[in-house]
Amino acid sequence: MDVLHNLMFGFQHALTPANLMYCAIGCTVGTLIGLLPGLGPLATLSLLLPLTYSMPVTGALIMLAGIYYGAQYGDSVSAITMKIPHASSIVACIDGYAMTLKGKTGLALFTAGISSFIGGTVAIVVLTFLAPSLGEVAFLFGPGDYCALMMVGFVCVSFVTTGSLLNGLAMCLIGVLLGQIGTDVTSGVPRFTLDMPFLADGVGLVSIALGCFGIAEITKNLDSREERSPFNGTIKLMPTWAEFKRIIPSALRGSAVGSFLGILPGGGPVIAQFAAYAIDKKVSKYRDEIGTGAIEGVAGQAAADEAAARTSFIPLMSIGIPENAVMAMMMAAFVIKGIQPGPNMISGHPDLFWGLVASMWIGNVFLVVLNVPLVRYWLSVFKIPYSVLFPSILFFCCIGTYSVNNNLDDIFITSAFGLLGYLCMRLDLDAAPLMLGFILGPMLEENFRRAMLLSRGSVDIFIHRPISASLLGLIAAFMAWQLWAFVRKARRGRGADEALPAAAGATAQPRLIAA
């Protein structure tokens, strides 16, 4: 009852006209930012942070939070309609864009919107009831445990890739190698920079995402020499009851995955979308359709994305540890306002804590009301001839890439990855595993080094700790199961090949006798 009382106390602060206005502004700005290639919540928060100096404390933080989780939904719109992803919508390019090519863009966008609402609602429930104690879960994970968790992420390659497993692993390793470009965190020595100063900070995720997905897709469409438009003049927005029954289980699974991974430092929406997609591809009743435009491929990742965006506030507000760059920017906003996030925040500033939690649910409603009716307007873009549309997309890709570091070299890097993505498409190689390797590779290396320093070079740290040992055991069991499934499939194929000549001989013998 105390939790419900605190939540009602939070709604009293969040439902004031001023805070409602700040929440609506944050959700609107976040959605618009998510639609623009390259611009994400981090860049937006850094630009708008000075504007919050003169704003009320609660209103400023509600607006910044709305920008963050509002951008998560906007990300999926550009990924589904144009195959131009942000970091948190890479997986949406797989089934979401495939649905667009089938003329189901409205259904895909509605699925993303309703799944985001479900994911946000589940995460808010988790945030409300478990935030004071659940933040301590992050303290249970050491470097060895995070290293094992990253290795579990690499296991997801077999589910994320839409081609063969061998090709997926190869693309993942290429992503890992790309993640090593830049200055070594420990020694400060440049690695694989080819003596080019602009590579000292490494290759940006925005450049790879826009190049391998956005520019590569445009090049592929131009190479086909066909005037194409995914918009076929009709809009199917509402799913049928059968489709709705497929959305709900996937969205709930994604919500659970995102709520958990959002708590862990290094997790968040980027890792949650891959994990949710991998689980759906394994346990869904329609797992064979995932990767070719299945509604589950959109629902699960959208719910995980939105859930992780909200539960990532738990370690920030409960123990004062930001789990990613966006949360670090949010922490800066707290400090500017004279508030120190941590264990005493709930007791010292209950109006701010519970008001922010209540505003997240209000923002969830705003996002549905704001975006679902606007689906028809998003689709009106496809009425523009593609010969006119693709230069505009390229323009926004260049602007988005340049805006990250204000460096023209990033545009050339994005163009190079556009060429790489186009070659991968021509060779039937999937770019999603490359992105997974690029994201997880540096995190795995960093945590592995920390674990080796703590254990003085002994790998026993991975076995003696229960969490890492359990995760490694899970990986070993999965690999054994995959090997057994591969052998069984090979035996079935060999048996079918042997049975085919025998059946042919059996049918040919009577014909010979009759002759």
Side-chain angles (χ1 to χ4, degrees):
M1 294 299 294
D2 291 337
V3 174
L4 295 178
H5 174 75
N6 292 331
L7 192 60
M8 293 301 298
F9 174 70
F11 273 109
Q12 291 178 2
H13 290 272
L15 289 175
T16 61
N19 288 336
L20 281 175
M21 180 187 67
Y22 289 129
C23 184
I25 292 174
C27 292
T28 304
V29 172
T31 302
L32 295 177
I33 290 300
L35 292 173
L36 298 177
L39 293 178
L42 180 60
T44 308
L45 291 179
S46 62
L47 292 174
L48 297 181
L49 189 59
L51 299 179
T52 62
Y53 291 161
S54 59
M55 294 173 56
V57 177
T58 304
L61 296 175
I62 285 176
M63 185 186 74
L64 294 176
I67 292 173
Y68 176 42
Y69 55 76
Q72 305 303 314
Y73 178 80
D75 291 353
S76 62
V77 175
S78 59
I80 290 172
T81 56
M82 295 177 288
K83 202 178 182 181
I84 300 178
H86 293 253
S88 59
S89 59
I90 297 169
V91 177
C93 288
I94 302 175
D95 286 87
Y97 190 70
M99 292 181 68
T100 292
L101 296 179
K102 295 179 180 179
K104 299 180 179 179
T105 314
L107 179 60
L109 292 175
F110 179 85
T111 301
I114 198 66
S115 299
S116 297
F117 178 81
I118 294 173
T121 302
V122 172
I124 292 168
V125 172
V126 173
L127 187 65
T128 301
F129 288 92
L130 302 178
S133 58
L134 203 55
E136 300 177 1
V137 172
F139 283 128
L140 301 177
F141 278 71
D145 304 323
Y146 283 117
C147 188
L149 183 63
M150 296 303 108
M151 294 178 66
V152 172
F154 281 112
V155 174
C156 296
V157 171
S158 59
F159 301 108
V160 174
T161 182
T162 56
S164 68
L165 178 58
L166 183 61
N167 291 342
L169 289 173
M171 293 294 290
C172 186
L173 290 177
I174 293 175
V176 172
L177 294 176
L178 291 173
Q180 306 307 307
I181 298 175
T183 304
D184 184 83
V185 178
T186 304
S187 63
V189 177
R191 301 185 302 184
F192 310 112
T193 59
L194 303 177
D195 294 329
M196 297 180 181
F198 62 87
L199 290 178
D201 294 330
V203 180
L205 179 62
V206 172
S207 297
I208 297 181
L210 294 182
C212 290
F213 288 95
I215 296 180
E217 183 66 26
I218 292 173
T219 308
K220 177 186 174 184
N221 294 334
L222 294 177
D223 188 40
S224 64
R225 298 182 180 180
E226 294 179 0
E227 184 68 25
R228 54 175 292 278
S229 174
F231 183 71
N232 57 8
T234 60
I235 299 176
K236 180 188 176 185
L237 186 61
M238 294 298 297
T240 63
W241 177 242
E243 292 171 333
F244 195 74
K245 289 192 295 184
R246 294 176 58 174
I247 293 174
I248 296 301
S250 182
L252 292 177
R253 286 191 295 266
S255 302
V257 173
S259 297
F260 174 72
L261 291 179
I263 302 170
L264 304 178
V270 177
I271 306 299
Q273 59 173 324
F274 285 100
Y277 191 82
I279 291 176
D280 266 330
K281 205 165 183 181
K282 177 53 61 178
V283 305
S284 175
K285 186 188 300 183
Y286 305 93
R287 64 179 73 93
D288 295 335
E289 299 179 21
I290 296 180
T292 60
I295 200 169
E296 289 84 359
V298 177
Q301 70 84 28
D305 182 25
E306 204 69 29
R310 283 168 170 78
T311 54
S312 58
F313 282 87
I314 291 179
L316 174 64
M317 295 192 295
S318 298
I319 57 181
I321 296 179
E323 65 151 27
N324 52 43
V326 178
M327 287 297 104
M329 190 62 65
M330 286 295 303
M331 185 173 183
F334 276 96
V335 174
I336 288 173
K337 292 298 184 180
I339 299 170
Q340 182 62 44
N344 297 325
M345 180 178 171
I346 300 178
S347 58
H349 304 277
D351 54 339
L352 175 60
F353 178 85
W354 292 108
L356 189 58
V357 171
S359 72
M360 290 184 183
W361 194 87
I362 297 172
N364 221 18
V365 177
F366 271 141
L367 287 174
V368 173
V369 174
L370 175 67
N371 290 290
V372 172
L374 293 179
V375 167
R376 300 179 185 275
Y377 296 99
W378 305 141
L379 292 181
S380 64
V381 175
F382 294 112
K383 295 180 180 179
I384 304 173
Y386 197 75
S387 58
V388 178
L389 182 62
F390 85 84
S392 304
I393 298 175
L394 286 177
F395 173 76
F396 283 112
C397 286
C398 293
I399 292 297
T401 304
Y402 177 79
S403 65
V404 177
N405 298 313
N406 295 329
N407 192 345
L408 285 174
D409 293 326
D410 291 338
I411 297 179
F412 298 113
I413 295 175
T414 303
S415 302
F417 280 105
L419 176 61
L420 176 63
Y422 173 70
L423 293 176
C424 290
M425 286 184 177
R426 294 301 299 264
L427 296 174
D428 292 330
L429 298 175
D430 194 0
L434 184 146
M435 298 299 302
L436 179 63
F438 180 80
I439 294 168
L440 294 183
M443 298 168 63
L444 176 63
E445 179 193 13
E446 182 181 354
N447 286 284
F448 182 77
R449 285 187 172 187
R450 289 178 180 176
M452 290 296 98
L453 288 174
L454 291 175
S455 63
R456 297 181 179 180
S458 175
V459 295
D460 293 342
I461 188 173
F462 298 104
I463 302 174
H464 292 162
R465 290 187 60 85
I467 296 178
S468 60
S470 301
L471 292 174
L472 291 177
L474 180 65
I475 293 173
F478 174 79
M479 297 298 291
W481 179 80
Q482 286 284 77
L483 181 61
W484 176 74
F486 176 77
V487 172
R488 185 180 62 176
K489 184 177 180 180
R491 287 180 177 177
R492 287 180 178 177
R494 191 183 310 126
D497 292 340
E498 293 176 354
L500 192 59
T507 55
Q509 185 67 22
R511 293 182 182 177
L512 182 60
I513 296 174

